[in-house]
């Protein structure tokens, strides 16, 4: 485990040292089943980690760093939002739905800060042990769905990535 942390720290340092193109530079540090974990170095000198499942036109991402709340991002190339908010629903498998009130809509993304509370931890636990995440509008109509196969190992890698940033 110690050698993995040293390797991860080296990857983070090398990603930060790379010249940033179009706002960020990223490097895949872990890949398993449908998921990838990346370290992302931004032009402003900050660094983040992201675990994501990606398809041709859309993705579900969990962003984390050592300073900000964990952020959920749902991306679809066909969306074209202005800067506004919406209330959405997320359901994992057949479990009780989660409400994402006042999620930020921006360009092709829906963004939501996960609360740093027990409910935020419970949500991540459901992602870890779930099979499919369903994104729905406020009326409960399906918008997108995402595979959670590989999320347990990927969120563990995400946690190690954030630890390496510290």
């Amino acid at each position: 485990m110690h050698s993995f942390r040293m390797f991860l720290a080296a990857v983070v340092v090398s990603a930060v040292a790379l010249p940033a193109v179009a706002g960020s530079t990223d490097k895949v540090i872990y890949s398993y089943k449908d998921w990838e974990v990346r370290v992302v170095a931004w032009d402003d000198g900050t660094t983040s980690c992201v675990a994501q499942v990606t398809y041709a036109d859309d993705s579900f991402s969990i962003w984390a760093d050592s300073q900000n709340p964990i952020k959920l991002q749902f991306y679809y190339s066909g969306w074209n939002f202005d800067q506004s908010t919406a209330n959405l629903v997320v359901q994992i498998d057949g479990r009780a739905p989660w409400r994402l009130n006042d999620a930020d809509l921006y360009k092709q993304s829906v963004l939501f800060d996960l609360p740093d509370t027990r409910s935020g931890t419970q949500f991540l636990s459901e992602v870890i042990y779930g099979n499919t995440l369903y994104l729905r509008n406020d009326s409960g109509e399906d918008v997108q769905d995402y595979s959670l196969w590989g999320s347990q190992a990927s969120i563990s890698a995400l946690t190690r990535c954030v630890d390496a940033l510290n």
Side-chain angles (χ1 to χ4, degrees):
M1 185 63 98
H2 178 67
S3 62
F4 178 79
R5 281 188 187 267
M6 288 178 49
F7 166 75
L8 186 57
V11 168
V12 169
V13 169
S14 69
V16 172
L18 295 172
V21 178
S24 68
T25 303
D26 68 287
K27 182 173 183 75
V28 175
I29 58 171
Y30 185 81
S31 181
Y32 184 69
K33 295 190 180 181
D34 293 335
W35 286 71
E36 286 185 344
V37 177
R38 296 173 177 270
V39 62
V40 180
W42 302 97
D43 280 349
D44 66 3
T46 60
T47 307
S48 301
C49 302
V50 60
Q52 62 189 10
V53 58
T54 304
Y55 306 110
D57 294 326
D58 62 318
S59 64
F60 165 56
S61 306
I62 302 170
W63 289 88
D65 62 40
S66 59
Q67 313 231 338
N68 298 296
I70 294 172
K71 185 175 290 295
L72 306 179
Q73 178 184 21
F74 302 92
Y75 171 88
Y76 176 62
S77 63
W79 292 335
N80 190 19
F81 299 121
D82 54 1
Q83 227 171 337
S84 60
T85 61
N87 296 331
L88 300 168
V89 176
V90 170
Q91 187 171 13
I92 298 169
D93 301 329
R95 295 180 177 98
W98 293 87
R99 298 198 57 76
L100 305 184
N101 293 326
D102 297 321
D104 292 316
L105 307 178
Y106 183 70
K107 296 187 179 186
Q108 288 81 31
S109 294
V110 172
L111 303 161
F112 184 78
D113 287 348
L114 201 59
D116 188 18
T117 63
R118 183 177 171 167
S119 65
T121 302
Q122 178 63 33
F123 177 84
L124 286 177
S125 178
E126 286 189 20
V127 169
I128 287 170
Y129 296 109
N131 295 312
T132 306
L133 181 146
Y134 301 95
L135 177 64
R136 298 187 172 118
N137 64 21
D138 199 25
S139 302
E141 298 166 332
D142 286 339
V143 176
Q144 302 287 104
D145 61 82
Y146 306 92
S147 171
L148 298 178
W149 288 95
S151 59
Q152 181 175 11
S154 296
I155 290 175
S156 179
L158 177 71
T159 301
R160 291 190 303 270
C161 179
V162 172
D163 288 346
L165 294 180
N166 293 330

